[in-house]
Amino acid sequence: MIDVARKLAFLLIGYGGLGALARPLVGGVGVILMLHRVTAFLDRPEGPNRHLTITPEFLDLLVGEMKRLGYAFVSMDEVVTRLRSGRSGGPFAALTADDAYRDNLVEALPVLESHGAPITIYVAPGLTSGTADLWWEVLDAIVEAGKPVTATIMGEKRTFECATSRDRKGAFLELSDWLTSEVSEEDQRQVLRGLAEQAGVDASAPNRQLLMDWTEVRRAASHPLVTIGAHTVHHCNLKRLEAGKALREMHRSRSLIEAELGEAPQHFAYPYGYEAAAGMRETHLAREAGFASAVTTRHGVLVSGHAAHLHALPRLSVNGRHQDLAAMRAMLSGATTLMTNGGRRLVTV
């Protein structure tokens, strides 16, 4: 219900003209856009992860519209430079994509080439190498298999029926919440694979089918429009790890990517990136790990004050819920930043 209300508010701002009025006043100096998947070929268009996907056609429309509004598309290196200098040179936008989905390379990049728009792709080496699982896609496959699965939650053995669409939706929501809040980060893979075994699902298949391998990551990295960033090794919720482990996840993600590409990434994205996954401690750790910037999933436009918070940069999510230019215009206006963040323009953790 909250998501529906937010979408309606975004559309009203976008279509009602408030966004155009607000942007010069509260639109900030720039924005960082967050993508995940960009594809016209979604296996389960009504599946629980559909919000992670936009079409290449919508990406093309969005970039074109933002260029019409005067945005210059820049790299994350340039975002840092502009924020530090205090001279934005007009509104700017940076495109980012989390997890290194293969469609970023084969479907999104041709669109970006047509616009000359750079993108930063954040790679989690464990996902790329297959030593960590794309758990949300695995869980989707588990419930979609339609078989009952049993899990012990809060000491109680529970069986989740997955025969109907309603069953599968409920099972996915409850099991995903349990996996990400009750099961430890260290145990998550083992528990997930136990569920997959019950359902007869290959837990490694989503990584192979959906994510770039290292050859493709190297191909992407060699493209003049692409910057590779880091996303921890195992896509961990860093706030759920003790500090030493969290820092190792950051350091090792840099070193593993450097070993594959010959260059250490300078930019970082917190997995999940919301308040319960990235706080003040994590911003200090990202700085200690040597990253020039770090992005969250906190909703917001960039303002000059973010020069002092380069490891807590907000983003605007471009996702399947908001494939509408009016909704995006509302976000770009800065009005939704105020609405979402209690009237604050400077969004930090």
Side-chain angles (χ1 to χ4, degrees), residues 50-251:
R50 63 190 181 278
H51 64 285
L52 297 176
T53 303
I54 64 167
T55 65
E57 291 75 17
F58 182 70
L59 178 62
D60 183 38
L61 284 173
L62 177 60
V63 174
E65 173 70 1
M66 290 180 66
K67 289 168 72 175
R68 187 189 69 78
L69 292 172
Y71 285 90
F73 281 84
V74 302
S75 67
M76 283 303 298
D77 286 340
E78 181 67 13
V79 168
V80 171
T81 297
R82 290 191 181 209
L83 287 174
R84 282 177 171 163
S85 71
R87 296 188 296 274
S88 67
F92 60 87
L95 286 160
T96 64
D98 293 2
D99 307 325
Y101 284 94
R102 181 174 290 114
D103 52 54
N104 294 173
L105 177 65
V106 299
E107 296 185 68
L109 190 53
V111 173
L112 302 183
E113 286 176 327
S114 71
H115 289 284
I119 187 168
T120 296
I121 298 173
Y122 295 105
V123 173
L127 292 179
T128 304
S129 300
T131 59
D133 294 323
L134 203 59
W135 71 261
W136 51 97
E137 298 289 354
V138 177
L139 186 57
D140 183 13
I142 289 168
V143 300
E144 188 66 23
K147 299 177 182 178
V149 292
T150 300
T152 301
I153 299 177
M154 303 291 285
E156 178 187 353
K157 190 173 183 179
R158 294 183 56 191
T159 297
F160 293 86
E161 298 295 336
C162 298
T164 68
S165 175
R166 183 175 181 178
D167 288 340
R168 291 190 289 274
K169 181 178 180 181
F172 183 91
L173 290 173
E174 285 200 61
L175 288 169
S176 61
D177 182 64
W178 172 62
L179 283 167
T180 55
S181 61
E182 300 297 332
V183 178
S184 72
E185 296 295 303
E186 294 87 348
D187 293 337
Q188 188 185 84
R189 190 182 202 206
Q190 180 182 351
V191 171
L192 179 72
R193 289 192 162 228
L195 297 175
E197 186 176 358
Q198 291 181 52
V201 165
D202 178 1
S204 299
N207 293 59
R208 294 193 307 269
Q209 295 165 357
L210 300 178
L211 299 181
M212 296 185 217
D213 59 26
W214 281 114
T215 298
E216 290 165 315
V217 172
R218 283 190 287 271
R219 179 178 152 202
S222 69
H223 195 284
L225 289 176
V226 177
T227 297
I228 298 297
H231 200 35
T232 72
V233 179
H234 299 102
H235 201 277
C236 291
N237 180 328
L238 293 170
K239 211 168 185 179
R240 299 184 73 214
L241 299 178
E242 62 93 15
K245 286 185 177 180
L247 184 59
R248 282 195 295 277
E249 279 284 328
M250 293 181 179
H251 271 306

Side-chain angles (χ1 to χ4, degrees), residues 279-332:
M280 189 65 70
R281 185 195 72 168
E282 286 66 44
T283 68
H284 294 323
L285 293 176
R287 188 180 298 110
E288 184 179 343
F291 293 107
S293 78
V295 293
T296 70
T297 61
R298 297 287 294 273
H299 182 87
V301 299
L302 298 174
V303 297
S304 57
H306 282 112
H309 300 279
L310 292 173
H311 298 86
L313 298 177
R315 291 188 284 180
L316 299 180
S317 179
V318 185
N319 62 56
R321 296 189 183 104
H322 302 302
Q323 288 191 84
D324 186 291
L325 289 182
M328 291 308 306
R329 282 193 292 267
M331 293 189 222
L332 295 170

Side-chain angles (χ1 to χ4, degrees), residues 26-48:
V26 296
V29 297
V31 295
I32 303 173
L33 302 181
M34 176 179 65
L35 311 173
H36 284 83
R37 300 198 63 191
V38 181
T39 183
F41 309 102
L42 197 59
D43 286 342
R44 288 194 281 276
E46 297 305 316

